[in-house]
Amino acid sequence: MKKIMNVPDQFVDQSLAGILKAHPGLLKAAPEDGRAIVRADAPVRGKVAIVTGGGYGHLPLFLGYVGKGLCSGCAVGNVFTSPSCETVVNATKVVSGGKGVLYLIGNYMGDQMNFEMAADVVGMENIETVLIRAADDVASAPREKWEDRRGIAGILFAYKIAGAMAERGHSLQEVEKTTRKACERIATFGVAFTSCQLPEAAAPIFEISGDEMELGMGIHGEKGVKRCKMMNAHELADYMVGTVIQDLSLTKGNKVAVLVNGLGSTSQEEQYILYGEVADILKTKGIDVAKAFVGEYVTSMEMAGVSITLFHLDDELEDLLKDPMYTPFVKL
Amino acid sequence: MEYKIDQVKEILKYCAELVSEQKEQLEKIDSQVGDGDLGISMQKGAAAIAGEADSFEGNDPGALFMKCAMALNKAAPSTMGTLICAGLMQMGKTFSKKETVTEAEAAEIPSLFAQAIMARGKAKEGDRTVLDALLPMAEAVKTAFGSGRALSEAFAAGAEAAKNGMEKTRDMVPKIGRSKWAPENAKGVPDGGAVLCWIVAQGLADRAGR
């Protein structure tokens, strides 16, 4: 394993220190908690704040979505491990602008429990919270149980919608309602070609042979649906986007936003080959693309692989998608 | 009798030490079933609880439990650590602004813990979790104390029930958490959370009511 680091158990904190040094005008840490990273202008008075968080090792997820038009703060855990309740509480207190706080996280048990506990703690101090779990991984549960799914790259769109609603000055209940609607209309399918390795671990999380790929893989090495021989770009696009179209029951005339997301070490050139195929398939089916995103938005350390997300838009969601946003890591 | 803050601290520290001593056993069990971090995270959590008990000033057991909850969660935000934290937070709320814990209240503690863990983790009896030791323990303590036995005897009965419950998890199929993805690995191995519960139950049996 070749990773730039000093000591493995300082991987997260030294990386965060670098981020704060690089973007001093945009991000800051909560007082006495270097794992609670918030917008430099927090708190924004009179607006709903959005706090996200989760394990480290997925940049730009989660921390990279802290910025104008997206999240207000992020609680950072260890690599692939939930942040502590205290860090969530610390982030919440710094960003709270008096109109309530939306907790928007991926659907993982440790994250959920720590955010729920933080909600209890800040509730005692009269900060109102609502928790929404993004659950978009088609491979992890059927459509009728979509709320049981793992949360993967599609959370990007949930951030965008929640952030735009909050920035426009809507109430916590309005932000919640529209974000929940969005979450139900987001679906993702991912594939992996190689494993990743934790900074403190001696070996990669799993083994996969040179000519194979894993379909429906999670972003922490969680098992997929099946393993098969490597496909070409056309077959891959057909399989992946076909699965997502079916899941969302998309038909001719529907409008979507598309995300082709690299998991860490698949080149942009490859990602665009895949997107070209996806765009052709959608065109053939009469599904309109309102906006496309191609790049690394949710990664898994140096794992090679890619995911495709479709976000089924209606007029309200399409309008919100156009609002400006900016963070040190992503522009949409 | 009633428990004042010093006795509460002493019992917390005693149980924390028992958990630390079992680090390797917990590690071994978890590496057969889960990701192997239970021993190290529980040792870190136990040390954090002992540290809070040492440095706590004041006489409100509720405030002490709440401090321990937060310290444990910071040291071990793993699923198990978070579940125990939920239990400690519930105790924090229950005993907030009180100066003592009565024997009757002490006999309710395992139930309070179990309820908080169920509310937070959404697991139920039979899912192969800490609850499969904790729920029988809670029932045994309440029944024994309610039928007039001394608190020490009630907690001894609780420890026995926790052990039986823990043994039964060897044959259970995991229904929740990460181990459900690889259920075949769990065959014949007790659930790590249930083992942890048994360790703490022994600690309480050693110290409660004495």
Side-chain angles (χ1 to χ4, degrees):
Chain A
M1 175 178 59
K2 289 177 186 164
K3 283 191 201 291
I4 300 172
M5 55 184 180
N6 295 310
V7 275
D9 71 358
Q10 288 294 307
F11 185 87
V12 178
D13 292 304
Q14 293 187 344
S15 178
L16 292 178
I19 288 169
L20 291 176
K21 285 175 193 167
H23 308 289
L26 296 169
L27 297 172
K28 66 182 178 187
E32 292 172 34
D33 191 344
R35 295 290 185 95
I37 311 288
V38 301
R39 281 166 62 166
D41 61 357
V44 179
R45 295 273 163 222
K47 281 189 181 164
V48 169
I50 301 167
V51 175
T52 188
Y56 204 58
H58 302 299
L59 279 176
L61 186 74
F62 299 90
L63 172 58
Y65 293 92
V66 174
K68 187 176 161 45
L70 290 171
C71 300
S72 321
C74 177
V76 179
N78 280 325
V79 177
F80 293 2
T81 309
S82 164
S84 71
C85 165
E86 184 180 287
T87 293
V88 180
V89 168
N90 290 337
T92 308
K93 285 182 180 172
V94 182
V95 301
S96 171
K99 275 194 79 176
V101 180
L102 175 71
Y103 286 163
L104 182 50
I105 59 173
N107 188 23
Y108 296 96
M109 191 169 173
D111 296 329
Q112 182 181 345
M113 291 194 299
N114 278 295
F115 274 81
E116 285 175 349
M117 285 197 304
D120 288 349
V121 174
V122 301
M124 289 191 270
E125 298 178 27
N126 296 318
I127 298 176
E128 190 188 355
T129 57
V130 162
L131 185 141
I132 296 182
R133 295 166 298 146
D136 57 314
D137 181 6
V138 173
S140 57
R143 170 48 58 180
E144 56 273 19
K145 289 187 183 172
W146 73 270
E147 285 170 291
D148 291 342
R149 289 175 172 174
R150 294 188 285 242
I152 52 174
I155 195 172
L156 156 77
F157 292 122
Y159 288 146
K160 182 72 195 76
I161 296 306
M165 285 292 287
E167 209 76 48
R168 288 181 184 189
H170 289 287
S171 71
L172 182 60
Q173 286 67 34
E174 289 163 342
V175 177
E176 178 192 3
K177 188 175 169 222
T178 304
T179 307
R180 282 197 195 281
K181 175 176 81 172
C183 285
E184 191 169 356
R185 301 164 73 101
I186 298 167
T188 303
F189 192 87
V191 296
F193 311 138
T194 67
S195 178
C196 54
Q197 183 165 353
L198 302 186
E200 293 183 67
I205 294 187
F206 60 94
E207 293 294 336
I208 187 162
S209 63
D211 62 342
E212 283 188 323
M213 58 188 277
E214 177 103 7
L215 300 172
M217 183 89 192
I219 55 173
H220 309 96
E222 296 100 331
K223 225 173 154 28
V225 184
K226 67 172 178 181
R227 205 164 262 206
C228 65
K229 290 285 172 211
M230 192 67 199
M231 297 179 195
N232 70 30
H234 180 76
E235 292 163 344
L236 199 53
D238 199 45
Y239 183 88
M240 293 174 78
V241 85
T243 303
V244 178
I245 287 171
Q246 191 180 22
D247 182 75
L248 290 170
S249 304
L250 296 174
T251 54
K252 194 171 184 322
N254 286 155
K255 197 175 266 191
V256 295
V258 185
L259 166 66
V260 169
N261 173 62
L263 287 171
S265 58
T266 290
S267 70
Q268 286 197 38
E269 287 83 348
E270 294 167 80
Q271 292 166 25
Y272 277 103
I273 291 174
L274 187 65
Y275 180 73
E277 298 284 350
V278 170
D280 289 349
I281 293 166
L282 291 171
K283 192 172 181 190
T284 308
K285 292 188 182 291
I287 298 166
D288 292 337
V289 177
K291 202 162 168 132
F293 305 91
V294 181
E296 289 186 352
Y297 290 91
V298 173
T299 64
S300 193
M301 308 291 289
E302 69 281 13
M303 186 151 95
V306 69
S307 65
I308 295 175
T309 304
L310 296 183
F311 178 23
H312 182 191
L313 300 170
D314 62 10
D315 291 344
E316 182 191 24
L317 297 172
E318 187 181 359
D319 190 47
L320 289 162
L321 198 63
K322 289 177 190 155
D323 279 12
M325 60 127 296
Y326 180 79
T327 88
F329 290 82
V330 282
K331 294 192 289 290
L332 297 185
Chain B
M1 71 175 275
E2 290 180 331
Y3 296 88
K4 291 214 163 84
I5 193 76
D6 285 342
Q7 290 154 298
V8 174
K9 284 184 187 177
E10 202 273 329
I11 294 174
L12 278 171
K13 279 161 68 174
Y14 180 74
C15 291
E17 197 180 322
L18 287 186
V19 170
S20 286
E21 283 170 6
Q22 296 301 321
K23 173 183 173 263
E24 279 170 27
Q25 191 201 343
L26 292 170
E27 215 161 80
K28 205 173 132 198
I29 288 165
D30 193 35
S31 55
Q32 285 169 269
V33 179
D35 51 6
D37 70 338
L38 185 64
I40 183 78
S41 64
M42 288 302 105
Q43 187 192 41
K44 282 182 185 167
I49 286 175
E52 286 298 321
D54 271 332
S55 64
F56 184 78
E57 290 172 13
N59 53 16
D60 177 347
L64 171 60
F65 286 132
M66 202 55 99
K67 283 221 153 206
C68 287
M70 298 311 275
L72 166 69
N73 182 249
K74 195 173 179 181
S78 64
T79 298
M80 193 67 231
T82 306
L83 290 171
I84 301 168
C85 169
L88 287 168
M89 277 174 85
Q90 183 56 49
M91 309 245 294
K93 284 183 205 162
T94 306
F95 297 110
S96 168
K97 301 191 174 63
K98 291 182 181 175
E99 289 195 8
T100 57
V101 176
T102 66
E103 287 204 336
E105 286 169 334
E108 289 292 328
I109 284 175
S111 287
L112 280 177
F113 236 91
Q115 283 157 21
I117 286 178
M118 283 192 284
R120 185 62 74 211
K122 318 272 191 301
K124 55 188 188 309
E125 199 162 7
D127 286 353
R128 194 183 192 275
T129 70
V130 58
L131 290 169
D132 294 307
L134 181 54
L135 285 169
M137 173 193 172
E139 196 55 43
V141 174
K142 271 208 293 199
T143 306
F145 187 75
S147 64
R149 288 167 69 187
L151 189 66
S152 59
E153 288 175 31
F155 272 99
E160 186 64 27
K163 185 178 185 210
N164 291 337
M166 177 272 287
E167 290 293 349
K168 282 184 189 159
T169 62
R170 289 179 193 273
D171 301 321
M172 292 179 176
V173 179
K175 303 249 172 59
I176 195 163
R178 248 160 230 253
S179 53
K180 82 173 171 194
W181 301 112
E184 64 279 8
N185 294 342
K187 275 184 196 150
V189 183
D191 175 67
V195 173
L196 185 75
C197 176
W198 174 48
I199 294 167
V200 176
Q202 290 174 90
L204 292 172
D206 287 350
R207 293 299 162 107
R210 289 171 209 272

